[in-house]
Amino acid sequence: DVQLVESGGGSVQPGGYLRLACAASGKTYSIDYMAWFRQAPGKEREGIAAVYIGGGKTYYADSVKGRFTISEDNAKNTAYLDMNNLKPEDSALYYCAAGDVLSLRALSADEYTYWGQGTQVTVS
């Protein structure tokens, strides 16, 4: 199995910046994508960014494109999400996910086997 631990959530004013980190451990050789999802109260879980580990290819939802950047440090088995120009509508519980994923479905929650516990981001 793979264990994921997120960090970096918090509260920020509109227009602000936060960086989330997701550290993977365990059988990390079994995963090829890491991604970030978010879920606000009363809304469905939304895939917002994904990265192909070791290859650099990235995918973004339209809602965050141009403001958020996903990256990964393969040596540290860690993925990051840099969030710029945060808006109140970005407030949600953010989850890290990892798995052996079909690239065309890199932002689909069904593709991911492993999930972190979530970290809260509040923009107000």
Side-chain angles (χ1 to χ4, degrees):
D1 285 358
V2 174
Q3 295 77 44
L4 302 173
V5 178
E6 300 114 332
S7 60
S11 296
V12 65
Q13 293 183 344
Y17 164 84
L18 280 175
R19 181 180 232 207
L20 305 182
C22 175
S25 60
K27 296 180 179 180
T28 56
Y29 57 81
S30 68
I31 59 174
D32 58 0
Y33 278 85
M34 294 183 75
W36 290 94
F37 290 76
R38 67 185 182 186
Q39 188 166 20
K43 294 189 176 182
E44 292 186 356
R45 188 168 296 191
E46 175 190 20
I48 57 172
V51 62
Y52 178 62
I53 298 169
K57 190 167 180 58
T58 56
Y59 305 80
Y60 295 96
D62 288 343
S63 58
V64 305
K65 198 172 293 183
R67 298 188 299 123
F68 291 10
T69 302
I70 189 170
S71 60
E72 53 92 13
D73 185 332
N74 199 20
K76 295 181 179 180
N77 293 317
T78 299
Y80 302 94
L81 185 68
D82 289 289
M83 304 184 292
N84 290 285
N85 190 22
L86 282 160
K87 304 175 181 180
E89 53 263 42
D90 293 317
S91 297
L93 193 58
Y94 282 67
Y95 296 92
C96 176
D100 182 8
V101 172
L102 184 65
S103 62
L104 291 177
R105 293 177 52 80
L107 294 179
S108 174
D110 292 344
E111 286 289 310
Y112 291 86
T113 305
Y114 306 105
W115 292 84
Q117 77 286 358
T119 184
Q120 180 67 39
V121 171
T122 302
V123 185
S124 64

